[in-house]
Amino acid sequence: MDLSSPTPGAPRRAIRELPDELISQIAAGEVVERPASVVRELVDNALDAGASQINVKLMAGGVRAIVVEDDGLGIPVEELPLALKRHATSKIRSLEELESVATMGFRGEALAAIASVAEMAIATRCEGAPHANRLDARSGELSPAARSRGTSVEVRELFFSTPARRKFLKTDATELAHCLEAVRRHALARPDVGFAIWHEGKLVEQWRAAGAEQRLKDVLGEEFFAASRAVFSEAGPLRVFGRAGLPEAARSRSDMQYVYVNGRYVRDKLIAHGIRSAYEDVLHGNRQPSYVLFIEIAPDRVDVNVHPTKIEVRFRDGREIHQRVRYAVQGALAISRSAEEAAAAPAPEAAGVLSAAHSSSVSLGRPGPGNPPAWFNAASAQERAAPGYVGNGSLSGATPSWRSHSQGSQASLGLAEVAALYGGASPALPLQPRAEAPAPAPLPGGDWPLGRAIAQIQGVYVLAENAQGLVIVDMHAAHERVVYERLKASLGEAAIESQPLLIPVTFAATAAEIATAEAQGQTLMRLGLDVAPLSAKVLAVRARPAALAGGDVVELVRGVLAELAQFDASHAIERAQHEILATMACHGAVRANRQLSLDEMNALLRDMERTERADQCNHGRPTWRQLSMRELDALFLRGR
């Protein structure tokens, strides 16, 4: 078969160089997907030019016209024609500069690609120039123009030269929404720059230059900021900071998830998985967390030249990024709202209740050298007191704090007690604190974050009174979280107890699953799983975790093998252990319809105040709700 022929049997066609315009149009297929792609590239250039104000003007969602104006440095008139040539750029000069690129753009192909599929003109003026100059990309005509210092890029009739591409565009409203999102991503990363977006002559969005915290509130709303926690971690050349939304503020869509690497918005599966892992046992169902996360890393440790859109990156040590991001977010989410309120309370007695729980797992400090980001402010100082932080604010390595520290006044359980918890006759751990655990200092009821127990409803809910009003606690869900966190703290590096199967469970496996099972045999044994190949395409499970006698062992094994193949063994072990311990905690928690005494109810409330992630059960459902006096008054129309 002649590979140079378009179809078998057709006459051979000679190999020839493609025309420059066709080359640019092919490149435009990767760079320019829709109007938002043009907006992104032009705003990138404006930011690289040092702009402090960027105006974006659109017509018909950007299909008819896109104008991006900035007050940056401008382009010298002698370099203006060169700016439209493919692979012409001022950003890099050598491979060394490419490997440490710090600008938003660097490929030198965006303007040429846009000019090949649309009518484009550039008007620009440098400081000290007598006037601006305008270059028409189609004709090459250069003429004087009027404007102040900076650059205006005008793009009209997008895809006019490739009408087939234009048919794939959506409605004007949809394209406008994509353009707004493109500018929003830049606005979050550059609070020092003002942005204004106009559509059909009307101002649709404006963000004035402000501090990072104010810009976050302006772009994503006060609600997001109020329902999120500060994230900060610094270790060597890597720094992670931003805001992570609380689990109860999760959304049905993943439309409020922003990750930046060295100021560049990226979509990275490894980072996304690390963040999702931090939310593993605090999110309910398929809910999606909200977050804005910035990763600062030495430029030579990340490759940004992966895709023409520059939205994908590749890390030299992806595993390190995954773990650091995971534990940074996990640490921010660990403190429950009740503990948060107690930490902020000025009363010394109230602070004493929770000080043991915090000081045993956290060594508070300030960020390392350099000024901390604005997200890391005094107002959220207590948010720094989160598991995973040590010394100067850096993460405590790959080992989470719950493996090496006790949970304050909750003494660790021995492995014998773990086994007794699941296999014993009692359906629940004692709700009262253990005898050897130090009893909390006596406090007035109003100083307890979750208040003083007053009643129980239908053996399911505990009612408590605190300074704000009424607290309603799902006692099974709450105790399940308490038991789960105790089990995690007590298990450490020990192996999960396994139970041999009388008849091995077999299932058809892929070549990758069989290879992973053979290579990770010892790891699987630590999880209570004895898995071995039965043939070239079949795996046999000969032992399972004793705590999962009624679970789907095949599904568990497949999940563990997938984790072991994609991520490091320690992460897969930890995740599988947590899944098993969560099942044990569910069985070990106090069951519904059990009548508790007031002392038992109060002991449960105090345990919740000392327990990490106590706002959600292991499945992500809320464990308690607060009804303020204002809300109670509204129910009875008081004051109306």
Side-chain angles (χ1 to χ4, degrees), residues 181 332 545:
E181 180 63 18

Side-chain angles (χ1 to χ4, degrees), residues 55-190:
N55 299 323
V56 180
K57 300 177 181 179
L58 307 169
M59 297 287 288
V63 179
R64 297 294 303 276
I66 300 172
V67 179
V68 176
E69 302 173 338
D70 68 66
D71 60 353
L73 298 175
I75 305 172
V77 62
E78 63 272 13
E79 297 178 13
L80 196 50
L82 193 61
L84 296 179
K85 291 186 176 294
R86 288 185 299 109
H87 308 305
T89 180
S90 63
K91 315 295 174 61
I92 59 173
R93 288 286 185 273
S94 64
L95 178 61
E96 289 75 19
E97 291 186 355
L98 174 63
E99 291 178 343
S100 60
V101 65
T103 53
M104 299 299 292
F106 57 87
R107 297 174 66 93
E109 61 183 358
L111 292 180
I114 295 169
S116 70
V117 293
E119 297 177 354
M120 189 174 79
I122 302 176
T124 184
R125 182 179 183 179
C126 294
E127 188 71 41
H131 58 77
N133 292 279
R134 184 179 186 274
L135 176 65
D136 185 282
R138 182 64 51 181
S139 65
E141 180 184 356
L142 187 65
S143 58
R147 69 148 293 152
S148 57
R149 192 194 77 166
T151 302
S152 299
V153 181
E154 181 180 336
V155 179
R156 295 191 178 276
E157 303 300 335
L158 188 62
F159 298 134
F160 85 97
S161 59
T162 53
R165 293 289 305 276
R166 194 161 184 167
K167 294 177 182 178
F168 285 92
L169 297 178
K170 306 299 181 183
T171 64
D172 291 353
T174 300
E175 297 302 336
L176 172 62
H178 284 288
C179 291
L180 287 170
E181 180 63 18
V183 181
R184 184 178 291 112
R185 291 169 180 173
H186 283 97
L188 284 170
R190 293 296 303 272

Side-chain angles (χ1 to χ4, degrees), residues 96 99-101 237 262 297-303 314-316:
E96 289 75 19
E99 291 178 343
S100 60
V101 65
N262 292 345
I297 186 173
D300 61 352
R301 294 171 64 87
V302 57
D303 183 6
R314 184 178 296 116
F315 297 100
R316 183 185 297 179

Side-chain angles (χ1 to χ4, degrees), residues 297-563:
I297 186 173
D300 61 352
R301 294 171 64 87
V302 57
D303 183 6
V304 298
N305 188 28
V306 176
H307 192 274
T309 63
K310 305 181 292 291
I311 206 169
E312 297 178 14
V313 294
R314 184 178 296 116
F315 297 100
R316 183 185 297 179
D317 189 348
R319 181 174 300 174
E320 177 193 21
I321 300 296
H322 179 277
Q323 293 297 82
R324 294 293 179 185
V325 167
R326 179 189 175 202
Y327 288 125
V329 176
Q330 201 172 56
L333 299 174
I335 302 176
S336 65
R337 282 184 293 131
S338 61
E340 189 176 11
E341 293 167 5
E349 295 90 350
V353 177
L354 298 167
S355 61
H358 288 178
S359 63
S360 64
S361 59
V362 179
S363 176
L364 271 180
R366 295 295 180 263
N371 296 322
W375 325 90
F376 198 67
N377 52 37
S380 54
Q382 57 79 29
E383 295 172 4
R384 290 171 244 184
Y389 290 96
V390 297
N392 68 348
S394 63
L395 286 167
S396 55
T399 304
S401 61
W402 50 259
R403 281 190 173 176
S404 56
H405 300 288
S406 65
Q407 299 296 317
S409 62
Q410 300 176 35
S412 298
L413 298 175
L415 286 179
E417 290 181 80
V418 174
L421 167 64
Y422 182 76
S426 174
L429 282 176
L431 287 174
Q432 295 84 357
R434 289 161 52 95
E436 63 269 30
L443 300 173
D447 287 338
W448 285 318
L450 293 181
R452 172 176 53 86
I454 54 178
Q456 186 180 15
I457 300 179
Q458 299 289 326
V460 177
Y461 299 104
V462 171
L463 302 184
E465 178 187 10
N466 66 359
Q468 289 74 44
L470 179 67
V471 174
I472 305 174
V473 177
D474 181 336
M475 67 181 195
H476 172 74
H479 196 224
E480 185 178 7
R481 169 61 72 179
V482 171
V483 174
Y484 179 41
E485 294 298 332
R486 286 183 179 178
L487 290 175
K488 288 198 297 185
S490 66
L491 183 62
E493 298 295 332
I496 296 286
E497 182 184 356
S498 66
Q499 176 184 15
L501 297 176
L502 188 61
I503 302 176
V505 176
T506 61
F507 63 96
T510 65
E513 288 174 331
I514 290 176
T516 303
E518 290 178 329
Q520 300 286 351
Q522 293 300 317
T523 301
L524 293 168
M525 291 297 292
R526 284 187 57 192
L527 297 173
L529 291 166
D530 183 359
V531 183
L534 195 62
S535 68
K537 296 184 178 181
V538 176
L539 283 175
V541 184
R542 297 188 173 90
R544 70 196 311 167
L548 296 182
D552 187 341
V553 69
V554 173
E555 183 180 355
L556 173 64
V557 170
R558 285 191 185 279
V560 171
L561 291 176
E563 290 283 335

